[in-house]
Every structure is written in structure tokens, then in C-alpha cells.
Amino acid sequence: MTESGTAATFEVPGLSEPVEILIDRWGVPHLYAASRADLFLAQGFNAARDRLFQIDLWRRRGLGLLAEVLGPEYAEHDCAARLFLYRGDMATEWQAYGPDTEQVTTAFVHGINAFVTLCRTQRAYLPPEFRLLDYEPAYWQPADVARIRSHGLYYNLHDEVQRALTLRDFGPEVEGLRKVREPAHELRVPEGLDLSVIPDDVLRVYRMATTPPWAANAPRQGIDGSNNWVLAPSRTATGRPLLANDPHRAVTLPALRYLAHLSAPGLDVIGAGEPALPGVSIGHNGRLAFGLTIFPIDQEDLYVYRTDPADPKRYAYGDGWEAMTKVTETIPVRGGEPVTTDLWFTRHGPVIDERPDRAAAFAVRAAWLEPGMAPYLGSMDYMGAAGPDAFVAAMERWGAPGENQVYAAPDGTTGWRPAGRVPVRRGWDGTLPVPGDGRYEWDGHHPVGALPSVRDPEDGWFATANQLNLPAEYPNAERTVTYDWYAPYRHHRLAETLAARSDWTAADCVALQNDYVSLPAREIQPLLADLTADDPRVRDGLKLLRDWDASLDADSPAAALFEIWYRRHLRPELLRRALARLLPEERVAQALARVLPAEDASADPRVDLSLLLAPGDRLGPDPDAAIRAAILTSLGPAMAETAELLGPDPDAWRWGALHQAHPHHPLAALLGAEAAGWSSVGPAPRGGSGDTVSATAYGPGFRQCGGATFRLVVDVGSWDDSVAMNAPGQSGDPGSPHYRDLFEPWAADEAFPLLYSRERIEEHTTARITLVPGSVPGE
């Protein structure tokens, strides 16, 4: 290896020809290779160069190897993770993705391992976390990429269990105050299901498997979602299509996603994926732009078994008993003895809880544990699509998670194609757990082509925001996708804004991605128009909210008051009044904790607005009086709380003084004082909420926990005019200039050019890396 200024050369075993990596001023690497094999090997090397500790931690968490380096307190998480590894035939697994996914993944992993070797032999390249925590980065196997499944977004196990517990304890009317089901749907408890045997913490092991231990106390809901849209030439100022995408995930340090440009004969794709995976899942390839949001297919079920009192490892199935399958594994533990654990499985999936005292056991059936369902690895099959038809054809093979895929081509074609495997449940709907005795089996999957789709929408635009977007004629009762969709307010705001203009530009799309208008606030404001109050604080609060434009700007006093009032005072007051009509007084507080759990980032706003705008008899015989009383009763305490938090002068209140982004390194607590200067970034004031297009979900402490740290707008056909953002920076190396350089521009709602042509890239290149063929050490 030689270095000179901003140039570096590395010998990389396995390469057949040199690979150039040009890094632009925003930290985006542009990789140029002579073959696809070299390209993906170089992608793995480069991903490790910028994100080695992050992807090493991702691998350890997914494979159940955290305790090996972090100590015995992580052994239980490792046991849980191992329950949810893919354990099927690997040949079948690789074949499910497309013709060369195994070869590409193998090359990618060899590239990672080449950088691991570099770090082990030349310690100057070792990320500081390894030194501070005193362990070495691990070598990968190609199968690791496909076997790890626990980092995806999946549905609807949490919802069906919460639904069952609420029905068990309070009944269907209280469940209706917890979450709205769409389309409207009457719950039917499956025949043979005994709700009383389901323990409150039945999902404890599942959550450990699917939630990083350092995020175990983060709010569960309201974080993950996304927006995307496509605009036809008739809707844009240039006559070219536009595609915009801003996925919403946890706000992390480093960023979840990584932007890269991959160029080799037959492929020239740029965009973002996850750094531990080969390829690009959101971006464009010079012939087609593509983007995704969650299409929340119900791909999970909880199976409830009656177990044999004489042998709890047998469960009733059909006319007899069936034995669970045991897999024994040993978990290495740093500073302690290895832990030997028995993992148990039924024919449906991993056993997550056993209650011999109730003669019951519980297992998860998950589509994402089947072949071809590793999250986002399916993007290998579409990122090189030559046009819309090839892209749509690739969606036939997409497995998990369910996605709203949108696309746009330079010829003006735009479209939407949802993708993902929808289980066939004959005679039942997946809304609740089911007995595991053989009466409730999946019968394969519905054809992906049976899902609705749109090509060249009549209105010239199409947008998704995780809302119910099945057309009215779709037979959801027969081909159930789910009944658990996200609230529609982000989509409503997109729809009213996109439909209002025919001169959209990329900059306008960036502004819409950062839109802070709260439709819940706007719908509530008319209810305040004629209210009067004796309490001067309440009068001041009413005036502040009436005169407001309903935009949750970071510098808005009214936004601060509204969010505190609506979420922490009005919402519980409304629900308390509704619950008091259904339950004895002594049970109301318990039910309120169920329908409005404190750990959730946001409850279902459809329930709140329904109680305010269409209460029926849920608030009593005089709902208008009840609503007025709820508003006036809750606004005084909200004013007092806002004053306590932000001072006595409402003119000095600022929503961004409370609502801030302050991402921390996942292991900040373990890294110690030496890492204090780089183990967090920020804070920065933020506008919005979980209900705004710029989704900035937060928990009880107002800190932003989710949102779009990655954003993309593609100017289709004029590719160099595309823009992006990826906060806090492209690199996970604290010593890199790109570790946090995008945090402030992101917090200011800006974007940077996502350059595509070699000429423009050369103009903004700040570093050059050359990878040359090298020998394997020791040869």
C-alpha cells in the first residue's frame, strides 16, 4: 500500500484488474471496475473501509455472537438471535434471488475480509472501537449475509398479539380505541384459541431477536415508515419524470444506509443500500430510477400450542402429538464459560415461549424465514433492470419485507408495483394468534401478480406513505394483505400538494420531503374556533393555536404547545373519557396504559381524530359537550407543562428547543471517556412529528428517534441533477471527514448533488483510491 496526499493504493487479493474509487466532496464513493466480480469485491472492501465496525456489529448481532466480545450480559440476546436465523438449504436460498446472487455475495464478502486482514496486519486502519473494546474484527462467510434475517421490518406479530391481549382483558370495543383496522373488519377469535393462556410478555424473545440490545428501550412504533412518489413529465417543470424517496428508520450513528456508485461493463448504478449488503436498493442505473417504502404485508403469525402435560416438548397436532425439534448451540462468552443452549422449533417455526403450567407453548411462523427472503438482498435482481418491464418482472421474485416499489424511466414511464410474498390463509385472516393444531396452516403464497399495480397514473403522479393503498375493488377478505396499515396523514398531505402543481422540480421535491404541516393539527383547529375559557392560560393557548399555520416548524411556539397538548394531554383525556363509558372506573387506568402505552413513539392518530370528528356515542350522549370539555380541561395543564419546559413567555417557546436530533453511537456507554468527542452528534433542533411528511417520530423525551436520515430525488434522464442526503455522514470512521459532515445540512433540510457522469464526478473528487490485485497473505 502506498499513499500520497488524497490518493491511496491497496493490494486486494481476488481482484483480476485494478479498480478505481473516486470519493466526492460529500463522501460518496464512485467505483469503476472492469468486471462485475471485481466491482462487488471492491464494494465489499470499500464498505468495510467506511463502515467496518458497524457491519461487524451487525453480523455479530445477527448471528448471535455479541457475548463473544461484549460479555455474558449479551448471551440471552445471542440465544434469541439464533432462533431466527435462516436454517434451510443454502442452494435453494441462493437460487431464489436470481442467477448470480451467490457469486456476487461471495465477491462482496471477500472484499470485506480483505479489509479485515488489512486492519489485523496494519493496525493504523483498525477502527477505534475495536481498540477501545479490545477485540478484532471477524471474517465473514457468504452465507452470513443471507442467513441473518432479524434486521428487516416485519408485520404483524406485534399487532396480533397486542390485539389478542386487549381482547382478553377488555373486549373488542377497547381494542377499537387502541388501533384502527383498515379496511373496516370485524374481529373473529379463531376457533380453539384460548386467549387466557397467552402471557403478556410472550414476545420478549422475539423482540430481543429483532431489536438491537442497545435499542431495547427505544419506542417501538412510529419510527419505521417511508414516503416515495413519482411524477410524470406532465407534472414537472422540465418535462422529465421525477422520483423521490425518503425511507424512515431509526436515527443512528453511523447512518443506517450507505450511498455508493457501482460501475462496470453492463452495470452503472448509484444509490443507497445497507452497508452490509451488496448492491443498491434505492437509486437509479442510468436507464431506470427506483425507490421503495414499506407495504406492510402480514407475513407473521403466532401459533399457540396445547402441550402434553407428561412431556411439554410435545404439542397437539392433528389427531396426535408431535415432538418439537431441538438444536443445541454453544455461545462463546467473553470472560466466562461458554453457554450451551437448546433451541426448540415446531413445524411452524422457532419456539419463543413455553408455559408448562398452562400446558402451552408459542412459536412464530414468519415468511421471512423461508428461502429467498433475506431483507433487501432481492435488490440484486432489479438494480440493473433495463426498463420498467424488467423491473416489474423482478418484483415477482421479491420476498421480504413487503415494499411499495415505484419506478420512472427517461421515456416518461412511471409506475407503482407492490411486492412481497402474501401468505394464503384459507378461512382465517391473520389478525389474531391461532392454535397450532393443524387447523390454521398457510397454503403457499398468493402470486405477486395478484397484487394491484399502476403504470402511468392518470393524474400524472403516484405516492405511497405506508397507508392503505389497495383499490376499493381489491378482494382483501380473500387475498388478505393486512388490516394493519399506517395512518394516512402523510399520504393525504402528499396528495394535496402533488396534485396542486404541474411545475415540480427536484428542489421542490426536497422541500416536500421536509414538509412539517400537521394534518391532525389542521383538522383539530376548527374545533377551537368558538371556545371560550375563564382561565387566562387557556385563553392564551386557544389564541396561539388558532392563529397558527399548523406547521410544526422547529422555531414555532404554537408547534411546541400543540405537540405537548395533543399527545400528552388531549389524547389521554379523550381516551380516558371513552374508556370510562366501557369499563368500571377502577379499570380505566389499566386500559389506558394498554391503548396508549408510554413506550410507543406515537399512538394511532386515527383513533384520536375519530373521537374528535366522528365520536358517535363513544363520548356519551352529548359528544360536542364532551369534546369541548376535553379540550378545555387538557389545555390548561398543557400550557403549564410547556411553560415548565420552555419558560413562562410563550413568545420564546420553540418546538426545536425540545424536539431534537442527537444520535449516539450504539455502544457509546461501553466506549468510555476516550470516545466522548465522537460517540454522539448534535443535538440539532428539529421540526415535524411522526404525522408529518418529514416524519420525525419521538418518544417521551422528545428526542427524535426515527425519520428520514437518507433522502433521494432523481431527475430522471438528467441524472447529474439528482440530489440526496445521508446523515450524519457517509463514513462510520470517527477519523474521516465524512463522519458527521452531513449532519448540519440534513438538520437544515438541505440536499447535495448525487453526481453520476464521470466528468462531473471528477470535478468534485476529493480523494482517489486504487485497488490492485494482490496475493493472499502467506502465499
Side-chain angles (χ1 to χ4, degrees), residues 489-545:
Y489 304 112
R490 284 184 287 117
H491 182 261
H492 288 347
R493 177 61 177 165
L494 290 173
E496 70 176 21
T497 310
L498 292 171
R501 295 176 52 184
S502 298
D503 60 349
W504 285 91
T505 65
D508 295 329
C509 288
V510 172
L512 182 55
Q513 289 175 330
N514 292 292
D515 184 85
Y516 296 130
V517 171
S518 168
L519 292 198
R522 201 168 69 185
E523 294 192 23
I524 291 170
Q525 279 180 313
L527 302 177
L528 312 180
D530 299 324
L531 293 183
T532 59
D534 295 329
D535 185 337
R537 291 183 311 173
V538 176
R539 290 199 302 270
D540 290 345
L542 288 170
K543 183 178 188 308
L544 187 59
L545 294 174

Side-chain angles (χ1 to χ4, degrees), residues 263-288:
S263 186
L267 182 68
D268 194 11
V269 63
I270 188 170
E274 296 186 6
L277 302 177
V280 164
S281 57
I282 301 170
H284 75 81
N285 60 22
R287 296 174 291 185
L288 190 79

Side-chain angles (χ1 to χ4, degrees), residues 72 88 122 181 189 210 400 403 442 466 476 531 619 704 744:
Q122 300 186 46
R181 293 181 300 282
V189 177
T210 56
E403 300 286 1
W442 293 4
N466 322 115
N476 198 57
L531 293 183
L619 295 176
Q704 183 182 351
E744 290 186 6

Side-chain angles (χ1 to χ4, degrees), residues 170 579-580 583-592:
F170 303 108
L579 290 167
L583 300 169
E585 181 180 353
E586 64 272 13
R587 301 203 67 208
V588 169
Q590 181 187 8
L592 184 61

Side-chain angles (χ1 to χ4, degrees), residues 59 147 187 247 254 263 289 330 346 410 428 442 455 507 521 547 560 574 618 752 769 776:
R59 175 184 173 276
R147 293 185 66 218
L187 290 175
S263 186
T330 300
T346 70
W428 54 293
W442 293 4
R455 174 72 63 91
D547 297 341
L574 287 167
R618 291 176 294 172
F752 64 81
I769 296 173
V776 177

Side-chain angles (χ1 to χ4, degrees), residues 320-678:
W321 299 99
E322 188 163 295
M324 298 179 189
T325 300
K326 181 175 73 171
V327 174
T328 301
E329 298 207 352
T330 300
I331 296 171
V333 177
R334 181 174 187 169
E337 292 297 317
V339 173
T340 299
T341 183
D342 293 334
L343 308 178
W344 293 93
F345 300 83
T346 70
R347 64 166 49 225
H348 301 116
V351 176
I352 59 170
D353 202 342
E354 298 179 72
R355 301 294 169 114
D357 58 321
R358 305 181 190 185
F362 309 87
V364 174
R365 181 161 194 181
W368 47 272
L369 290 176
E370 299 174 4
M373 301 285 271
Y376 307 107
L377 192 56
S379 64
M380 292 300 307
D381 199 30
Y382 69 70
M383 66 176 183
D389 292 342
F391 182 82
V392 169
M395 292 304 103
E396 297 288 333
R397 295 179 291 276
W398 181 270
E403 300 286 1
N404 290 290
Q405 298 274 4
V406 295
Y407 55 90
D411 68 0
T413 302
T414 60
W416 162 66
R417 159 50 84 189
R421 296 181 200 165
V422 180
V424 176
R425 299 177 175 94
R426 301 198 186 280
W428 54 293
D429 58 22
T431 56
L432 288 163
V434 291
D437 57 12
R439 287 178 287 176
Y440 300 92
E441 297 295 338
W442 293 4
D443 189 12
H445 304 101
H446 293 289
V448 173
L451 292 171
S453 63
V454 171
R455 174 72 63 91
D456 294 328
E458 290 185 11
D459 292 334
W461 64 271
F462 195 93
T464 80
N466 322 115
Q467 84 291 353
L468 170 61
N469 58 1
L470 301 175
E473 66 273 15
Y474 180 83
N476 198 57
E478 291 77 42
R479 298 200 300 268
T480 304
V481 174
T482 189
Y483 290 96
D484 293 306
W485 303 86
Y486 286 56
Y489 304 112
R490 284 184 287 117
H491 182 261
H492 288 347
R493 177 61 177 165
L494 290 173
E496 70 176 21
T497 310
L498 292 171
R501 295 176 52 184
S502 298
D503 60 349
W504 285 91
T505 65
D508 295 329
C509 288
V510 172
L512 182 55
Q513 289 175 330
N514 292 292
D515 184 85
Y516 296 130
V517 171
S518 168
L519 292 198
R522 201 168 69 185
E523 294 192 23
I524 291 170
Q525 279 180 313
L527 302 177
L528 312 180
D530 299 324
L531 293 183
T532 59
D534 295 329
D535 185 337
R537 291 183 311 173
V538 176
R539 290 199 302 270
D540 290 345
L542 288 170
K543 183 178 188 308
L544 187 59
L545 294 174
R546 285 176 187 143
D547 297 341
W548 173 47
D549 63 1
S551 184
L552 297 172
D553 298 328
D555 61 358
S556 168
L561 173 60
F562 176 79
E563 285 297 298
I564 290 171
W565 171 57
Y566 171 53
R567 297 181 189 276
R568 297 159 77 102
H569 295 273
L570 179 60
R571 172 179 283 166
E573 180 65 23
L574 287 167
L575 290 169
R576 190 178 296 110
R577 288 171 180 264
L579 290 167
R581 304 255 316 148
L582 302 173
L583 300 169
E585 181 180 353
E586 64 272 13
R587 301 203 67 208
V588 169
Q590 181 187 8
L592 184 61
R594 175 66 55 74
V595 302
L596 191 62
E599 71 271 19
D600 278 6
S602 62
D604 190 339
R606 292 167 291 190
V607 173
D608 314 325
L609 294 186
S610 174
L611 287 172
L612 286 168
L613 304 176
D617 62 358
R618 291 176 294 172
L619 295 176
D622 189 351
D624 290 342
I627 290 168
R628 288 194 299 271
I631 290 172
L632 296 174
T633 299
S634 59
L635 190 52
M639 287 286 288
E641 182 180 1
T642 311
E644 181 179 351
L645 292 169
L646 294 173
D649 180 8
D651 289 339
W653 293 350
R654 299 290 181 268
W655 174 222
L658 292 174
H659 184 41
Q660 299 187 337
H662 194 190
H664 287 66
H665 191 287
L667 299 186
L670 301 179
L671 292 172
E674 187 174 336
W678 50 263

